[in-house]
Amino acid sequence: MSEKISCWIIVNGYLQQKKFSDLALFMKEAADRKKVRARIVRNTELTPVLKDGMAELKGSLSGSLPDFIIFMDKDIHLARHLERIGVPVYNSSAAIEVCDSKAKTHQALANQGIPMPRTVFPPFTYEGIEREHFEPFKEIGKYLGYPLVVKEAYGSFGQEVYLVESETELIEMVKKIAHKPFILQEFVQSSKGKDIRLNVVGEKVVASMLRTSETDFRANVTNGGKTEAYSPTPEEIELAVKCAGILGTDFAGIDLLFGESGPLLCEVNSNSHLLNIYECTGVNIADYMIDYILERQAETKR
C-alpha cells in the first residue's frame, strides 16, 4: 500500500524561519523512509473556494490531490476546506483549532477529570474598547494569589506567557494585552522552571523529555531551558494519553507540570516541534506518525 500512497506536508508560506523548514524536511524524510511520495506544500500554493456552494480547490495542485495530508500549520480554514473536499487531514482541523487556543484547550478538558492549575477566563472586550473597570481582575488576583501566570491564548514556544507578582502588575499586563484573548492561572511553585513534554501518537506515549531552567519560570528550550530524556510514570502517561484522546488529536505534544499531589496538565500542542526531543532522546517521532497514519489509511480501505 505505502509504495503508491502520496501525501502533502502543508506548511505556512509566510514563515521563513529555519526551524520550521527543518521540521518539514524532517517529516518528509520520515515519509520517504516509508516509501510515501511526500511533497512539502505551502498554504500560499492552495486557494480554497466555494463554487455553487461546493468546496473546491484552485491552483496548480488542484488536479493532483494526495491520499492524505500532514497539516503542520494553523491555517484552520484551509485544513477544514481540505476535509470538505474529502482529503484526510492529520491532525484534524477541529483538533488543531482547539489546541491552538490555550483557553479552548482548558475548556475542552473541563469536567473530564483532568488535573490542571486553577484557571480563570477573564471578561472579554472588543478590539478598540479599552477596559476601564478592573475590579474583576482584582478579585481574580485574590482568588489565584500572587504570583500568578497570565497566558495569551495564542502563542508558541513559551512566548506570551508572563509571571505577574502583584495586583499593580496584573492591571498593567491586562492593559497591555488589551483585547487579545488570554487566561489566568495559579502559579505552580513546585514546578517552577521545570516541566515534562510527552509526545503521544495514537494512544501511546512514544517519547518524553524533562525540561528545566535555572533562570526562568518557564522551561521551554526557546527560553533557555535544558532537556534530558525522561521516563514518565504510569500516572503521567495515563494523563497525557487521556488529554490527547479527549481533544481528538492523532498526535500531540503534551506538557505536564509537577503538582504537589501529582502531574497537572499545562498545555497541548497539536504541532509540536519534533527536532528538540529527537536530539534529546534519539526517538524519531515522525516515523511513529507516518506509521500511525498509514495504519489509519489502511483501516479506511478495508
Side-chain angles (χ1 to χ4, degrees), residues 29-225:
E29 290 168 359
D32 291 342
R33 283 193 292 274
K34 304 296 180 179
K35 302 190 185 303
V36 174
R37 298 198 309 274
R39 176 172 183 166
I40 297 173
V41 177
R42 297 178 176 86
N43 69 328
T44 50
E45 297 180 78
L46 306 172
T47 305
V49 302
L50 296 177
K51 182 179 179 182
D52 299 325
M54 299 298 293
E56 294 185 1
L57 197 65
K58 296 297 183 182
S60 60
L61 302 178
S62 60
S64 56
L65 296 177
D67 292 292
F68 67 87
I69 288 169
I70 301 173
F71 208 86
M72 303 184 71
D73 191 29
K74 295 181 180 181
D75 190 337
I76 303 298
H77 300 296
L78 175 58
R80 187 176 293 120
H81 200 87
L82 291 165
E83 292 167 342
R84 291 290 188 272
I85 63 178
V87 184
V89 177
Y90 303 90
N91 278 303
S92 70
S93 61
I96 295 172
E97 184 172 28
V98 73
C99 293
D100 189 30
S101 164
K102 296 177 178 65
K104 291 180 180 179
T105 298
H106 282 81
Q107 287 196 318
L109 294 173
N111 302 339
Q112 301 281 351
I114 301 299
M116 61 181 77
R118 283 180 297 152
T119 301
V120 179
F121 304 91
F124 166 83
T125 187
Y126 294 94
E127 184 174 3
I129 306 297
E130 295 184 4
R131 292 185 174 89
E132 295 180 354
H133 305 290
F134 295 95
E135 283 304 318
F137 293 96
K138 294 178 181 179
E139 292 302 315
I140 291 170
K142 293 176 183 177
Y143 170 66
L144 294 177
Y146 293 98
L148 59 79
V149 178
V150 176
K151 296 181 178 180
E152 294 187 30
Y154 299 97
S156 302
F157 304 106
Q159 304 300 308
E160 294 82 39
V161 177
Y162 316 100
L163 189 65
V164 171
E165 300 282 356
S166 67
E167 183 179 284
T168 300
E169 284 188 26
L170 175 59
I171 292 173
E172 289 303 311
M173 182 60 65
V174 169
K175 291 178 180 178
K176 178 181 177 181
I177 293 176
H179 69 281
K180 291 185 287 186
F182 64 97
I183 61 174
L184 303 100
Q185 291 184 318
E186 67 173 315
F187 177 55
V188 181
Q189 182 67 39
S190 54
S191 200
K192 180 181 180 180
K194 61 180 179 179
D195 67 14
I196 319 165
R197 163 63 60 85
L198 294 89
N199 277 85
V200 177
V201 178
E203 298 181 353
K204 181 180 179 182
V205 172
V206 300
S208 306
M209 67 179 176
L210 173 69
R211 303 184 298 191
T212 58
S213 174
E214 297 179 358
T215 59
D216 200 304
F217 76 99
R218 301 162 296 181
N220 303 75
V221 176
T222 304
N223 297 318

